[in-house]
Amino acid sequence: MSETLASQNEINAEMAAISSEALAARHDGGQPELHPRRGYAPYRSSVLRHPTHALVKADPEAIERTSPAFGHTDVDWYESDLTIQHNGEPLGERIIVTGKVLDGEGRPVRNQLMEIWQANSAGRYVHKRDQHPAPLDPNFTGVGRVVTGDDGSYQFTTIKPGPYPWKNHLNAWRPAHIHFSLFGTAFTQRLITQMYFPGDPLFALDPIYQSIVDPAARERLISSYDHDVTKPEWATGYRWNIVLTGPKSTWMEQDDDHE
Amino acid sequence: MSEFVQAEFVQTPSQTVGPFYGFALPYEGGPELVNPAHPAAIRLHGRVIDGVGVGLQDALVEIWQPDENGEISRELGAQEPDGYTFTGFGRAATTRAGDFTFTTVTPGSVGGEAPYALVTVFARGLLHHLFTRAYFVDESALEALAETDAVLKSVPADRRATLVAVADGPRSYRFDIRLQGEGETVFLDFDA
């Protein structure tokens, strides 16, 4: 832990080497890599934490083809508006984030819990270990929950999070992002991911984002600005759809049990 | 039935849970699937350990399991536990030492299969969460069980023990999760 931090240039060179190797593998007919590399050395925390053995292929059994049940009664309506959880208005750019959660066949993943969390507009989390010297906002915690609708749709009102520094390497900054946690109709669909904002200048420099080596795959994490979601005199709008794993691992008969 | 072309719906990539989920994901009662006073209550605990043997202070462990009769819960309110209803789902953040503890019941066999709890691990540094199983079987019975259980069968014999919740006291089971290195836990891929 006391070793000298790498420079951004060193991290960039490591990332470029992995990217060109991944690109070459694709040209040789390899499959696109839909998820991040588990061991991605430019993201230093992954080095000692990724399994070194290949994962063991398993057919999901009954428990894995089901998922814990959440309903609209588990979540209060105001939990999807992160700007009204305190006595005053949080600082920053109010945004609406909306979209659909779908499975691999495009079917809505309905009545499923989605949890989000994020930094405030200054790039600070309400977490004791985040001691980055940016202000906490007394009117913003940055935690929301919603249950998807019958068409798989969700919507949050929140504040656009700021980028923030982290200690992966010297002058490391995370692109602005919102964390998403989702349950599907099968526990094998469980997903935790991050939604990014279009045009962020930090994308090329961020090893967590770049750990998804396939360019088309990582672009799926970028929301799009949607003027139809934007509300006059109120908030700008972003749209982001999420696709969980395909139906192979879902238990069709259970689809209606999540009411 | 589907009006969509399947190829359009490509999985959204995973990203790490990061270190700063602690104000968002853990919840009151998350590690207690049953009350500790429940007559069938057991402790399921362990440590999440990295490649040099250090416990992870920023890991999140989830379990999803049937009840002691092998029934899979369809109860609502898995995150709003009332202290009585068994919802089968638990979530625990690790301590500074990397330890997690659940209060639950021994999972029953579903359809005659070997009984186990599904275990999921999230952490800073894990770009994609990890799935594994904590089997509630006697370690001495593993070899015989590997003849019938598809997952145990496909795991090399010398790694099977990493999938066993080991009794370490009265109504207490230990299930350490080694992400890397010697004794690395067997992790499962359901996406094949």
Side-chain angles (χ1 to χ4, degrees):
Chain A
M1 290 293 149
S2 59
E3 65 213 70
T4 322
L5 292 177
S7 68
Q8 181 72 57
N9 282 343
E10 290 169 87
I11 293 292
N12 289 353
E14 289 179 32
M15 294 193 297
I18 295 167
S19 286
S20 57
E21 168 251 320
L23 198 62
R26 279 287 271 144
H27 280 308
D28 291 345
Q31 291 295 309
E33 297 181 45
L34 298 183
H35 287 287
R37 295 268 174 102
R38 290 176 189 270
Y40 187 75
Y43 176 31
R44 296 297 194 240
S45 299
S46 76
V47 172
L48 287 173
R49 294 182 169 199
H50 73 278
T52 55
H53 287 86
L55 303 197
V56 171
K57 304 273 188 204
D59 283 328
E61 301 290 346
I63 190 71
E64 286 129 357
R65 284 182 277 127
T66 56
S67 189
F70 307 99
H72 292 276
T73 52
D74 293 320
V75 174
D76 279 312
W77 64 269
Y78 57 79
E79 292 186 70
S80 67
D81 189 341
L82 285 69
T83 70
I84 60 168
Q85 296 172 356
H86 299 276
N87 292 329
E89 293 285 343
L91 295 172
E93 176 187 348
R94 189 184 292 106
I95 60 170
I96 295 163
V97 181
T98 190
K100 282 191 177 181
V101 184
L102 304 168
D103 73 13
E105 281 197 340
R107 299 175 307 186
V109 177
R110 52 187 199 268
N111 301 328
Q112 297 302 317
L113 181 70
M114 172 186 278
E115 299 161 277
I116 68 165
W117 72 103
Q118 62 171 92
N120 68 23
S121 61
R124 177 88 184 260
Y125 284 99
V126 182
H127 189 293
K128 292 276 193 318
R129 281 191 213 125
D130 183 3
Q131 292 296 330
H132 152 223
L136 286 168
D137 183 338
N139 292 318
F140 190 74
T141 302
V143 178
R145 301 195 307 160
V146 72
V147 172
T148 56
D150 280 337
D151 58 352
S153 65
Y154 73 92
Q155 180 166 309
F156 291 101
T157 302
T158 185
I159 295 292
K160 191 175 181 186
Y164 57 83
W166 58 309
K167 295 184 170 68
N168 186 71
H169 56 277
L170 191 64
N171 208 13
W173 289 77
R174 294 291 337 273
H177 61 274
I178 299 176
H179 296 267
F180 278 71
S181 166
L182 297 109
F183 294 85
T185 51
F187 205 77
T188 52
Q189 293 180 307
R190 184 88 177 87
L191 180 71
I192 287 186
T193 187
Q194 302 177 18
M195 184 202 90
Y196 298 91
F197 293 88
D200 197 311
L202 295 166
F203 286 149
L205 308 174
D206 179 44
I208 291 180
Y209 179 68
Q210 295 294 330
S211 67
I212 306 159
V213 296
D214 184 79
R218 64 177 174 254
E219 277 167 27
R220 291 188 190 102
L221 295 185
I222 306 175
S223 57
S224 54
Y225 172 75
D226 188 333
H227 204 60
D228 290 332
V229 177
T230 291
K231 290 208 171 113
E233 318 300 324
W234 181 247
T236 54
Y238 290 87
R239 187 173 290 280
W240 188 52
N241 293 335
I242 301 158
V243 179
L244 303 181
T245 56
K248 173 182 177 293
S249 47
T250 66
W251 199 358
M252 304 288 291
E253 303 95 297
Q254 294 291 322
D255 276 0
D256 293 321
D257 280 2
H258 283 284
E259 299 302 334
Chain B
M1 280 297 283
S2 177
E3 57 190 291
F4 300 108
V5 179
Q6 188 167 353
E8 285 178 44
F9 298 99
V10 184
Q11 281 176 39
T12 300
S14 162
Q15 291 272 265
T16 176
V17 71
F20 299 139
Y21 60 79
F23 65 103
L25 294 180
Y27 57 92
E28 183 87 26
E32 290 189 2
L33 285 77
V34 296
N35 189 291
H38 187 289
I42 60 160
R43 170 169 79 149
L44 175 62
H45 71 125
R47 180 170 290 177
V48 186
I49 302 160
D50 74 9
V52 289
V54 174
L56 272 61
Q57 68 169 352
D58 45 21
L60 185 77
V61 180
E62 289 180 349
I63 59 173
W64 170 232
Q65 65 162 83
D67 71 10
E68 61 268 53
N69 302 314
E71 294 290 328
I72 297 171
S73 171
R74 307 310 304 153
E75 295 285 347
L76 288 179
Q79 273 196 320
E80 303 278 324
D82 62 13
Y84 296 92
T85 309
F86 185 81
T87 68
F89 178 69
R91 177 185 281 173
T94 52
T95 65
R96 276 184 292 263
D99 293 316
F100 64 90
T101 304
F102 291 99
T103 309
T104 184
V105 292
T106 308
S109 165
V110 181
E113 303 288 335
Y116 65 87
L118 175 65
V119 178
T120 315
V121 188
F122 302 88
R124 173 175 64 90
L126 285 187
L127 286 154
H128 198 303
H129 61 269
L130 292 165
F131 286 122
T132 186
R133 290 177 179 176
Y135 281 87
F136 283 74
V137 296
D138 196 63
E139 235 178 299
S140 59
L142 255 187
E143 208 164 315
L145 195 61
E147 297 297 318
T148 55
D149 185 276
V151 164
L152 291 174
K153 190 186 278 188
S154 60
V155 171
D158 62 349
R159 300 190 66 206
R160 284 177 192 146
T162 70
L163 295 170
V164 175
V166 179
D168 70 338
R171 304 196 311 170
S172 178
Y173 292 84
R174 184 164 186 110
F175 186 72
D176 286 333
I177 301 165
R178 290 184 174 78
L179 300 182
Q180 197 182 79
E182 200 173 336
E184 183 178 304
T185 299
V186 169
F187 296 106
L188 303 175
D189 174 9
F190 295 106
D191 281 348

